[in-house]
Amino acid sequence: MARLNSKNIISGLVGNLVFRNLDGKQIIQSRPNHVKQTKATKASSNEFSQCSSWTKSIRIGLHPFLVGLTDSYMYRRFNGQFYNALLSNTNILKGQRNPLNANMSDLVGFEFNNHSLFAQYFLPTITTSTTAQHQITVTIPNFDPNTEMLFPDAVTNAELLVYIYATNFEGHSVVIDDYFVLPIDKKTPQLSPTTFNSIVLPEDYFVLVSAKLLYYTNNKFTVKNYCNNKALNPAMVVWANKI
């Protein structure tokens, strides 16, 4: 039903037309069609909204690792890749998929900063596996920093930070994490292989392992002056799945 006000402006519905007042002007629009969602579309919509909640939880957990030095679209990109990783599990019904029952390995290789890709700054292959005791084993092979890494101008020191984040998505209080730091000197001809075993992680937790390069210069007073910023912060997911 439509009404005519004192200024001769109609508001309301007449057939398939909608009349409304916008800043004193008469606006006429077509009536929007009502779209009935099927069970499948409702399930897909629910999965996508849940993904937003899961990725937000992870981003909050990764804040000490990323310290805000990501590109401006990282959240959208991460949410999209997380959702696509979930969708790849076609053996699980829509609406029933979650990070604790799905294979999320398609997250591996996700770059947190498109301005400085970790895969281009650090060429050695980081391998990750799990133990029977529910630990994460991270191995970095021997490599030559001078030829297999990129360093900013006038910087010859770096640290490889590997962060292990585990959650069951039930709140921050049930987040478990561990990390290790590998010092790197560009002048060292060859770094020996490094293997790290994490603490024992709870069973049926989603685990994200990420690696990041921290560049710094030495100073006799402040010891280390880190020079990472929004343009230089190579960080990448190297393993992702339920343990």
Side-chain angles (χ1 to χ4, degrees):
M1 184 178 71
R3 296 180 180 179
L4 182 68
N5 64 18
S6 59
K7 296 182 180 180
N8 293 322
I9 293 179
I10 304 173
S11 63
L13 181 66
V14 178
N16 289 324
L17 299 177
V18 177
F19 294 80
R20 63 190 184 94
N21 178 7
L22 181 63
D23 297 329
K25 295 182 180 180
Q26 181 77 71
I27 302 296
I28 305 173
Q29 296 176 313
S30 297
R31 183 180 183 180
N33 294 324
H34 177 69
V35 179
K36 185 177 180 180
Q37 282 192 311
T38 64
K39 289 183 178 180
T41 56
K42 285 182 179 179
S44 294
S45 176
N46 184 52
E47 278 188 339
F48 186 79
S49 62
Q50 283 185 309
C51 271
S52 296
S53 175
W54 292 324
T55 55
K56 181 179 179 180
S57 173
I58 293 171
R59 284 190 304 111
I60 293 173
L62 291 180
H63 180 73
F65 173 77
L66 296 172
V67 291
L69 301 182
T70 65
D71 63 80
S72 302
Y73 298 99
M74 188 279 287
Y75 169 69
R76 294 182 188 177
R77 294 190 300 103
F78 187 59
N79 193 54
Q81 190 154 335
F82 196 97
Y83 184 52
N84 288 333
L86 196 71
L87 292 183
S88 69
N89 293 268
T90 55
N91 59 315
I92 305 175
L93 295 176
K94 289 181 180 179
Q96 296 181 13
R97 295 177 287 210
N98 63 67
L100 301 179
N101 67 11
N103 185 335
M104 301 298 290
S105 59
D106 282 356
L107 278 174
V108 174
F110 177 81
E111 295 276 1
F112 290 104
N113 193 320
N114 268 341
H115 303 304
S116 49
L117 302 181
F118 183 88
Q120 294 180 0
Y121 276 75
F122 191 80
L123 299 183
T125 300
I126 300 173
T127 58
T128 309
S129 60
T130 60
T131 69
Q133 292 74 36
H134 297 100
Q135 294 170 285
I136 298 291
T137 299
V138 180
T139 303
I140 296 115
N142 63 305
F143 68 97
D144 183 350
N146 191 46
T147 60
E148 297 181 77
M149 278 185 62
L150 290 180
F151 285 81
D153 292 341
V155 175
T156 59
N157 291 98
E159 294 171 340
L160 174 64
L161 169 62
V162 177
Y163 183 52
I164 299 162
Y165 172 86
T167 179
N168 62 359
F169 297 99
E170 293 183 2
H172 187 69
S173 60
V174 289
V175 167
I176 309 295
D177 64 358
D178 199 3
Y179 71 94
F180 80 93
V181 176
L182 175 66
I184 302 171
D185 187 338
K186 185 180 181 181
K187 299 174 184 177
T188 303
Q190 195 79 212
L191 282 179
S192 301
T194 302
T195 298
F196 171 79
N197 286 315
S198 75
I199 59 174
V200 175
L201 301 171
E203 191 174 358
D204 296 328
Y205 265 48
F206 173 75
V207 180
L208 194 77
V209 182
S210 304
K212 172 182 177 178
L213 289 173
L214 291 166
Y215 294 101
Y216 65 92
T217 57
N218 286 308
N219 181 288
K220 66 179 180 180
F221 299 112
T222 57
V223 184
K224 293 179 183 178
N225 291 325
Y226 289 97
C227 50
N228 285 45
N229 52 52
K230 277 188 168 290
L232 177 69
N233 196 54
M236 185 181 78
V237 175
V238 297
W239 196 85
N241 238 319
K242 184 188 79 170
I243 191 169

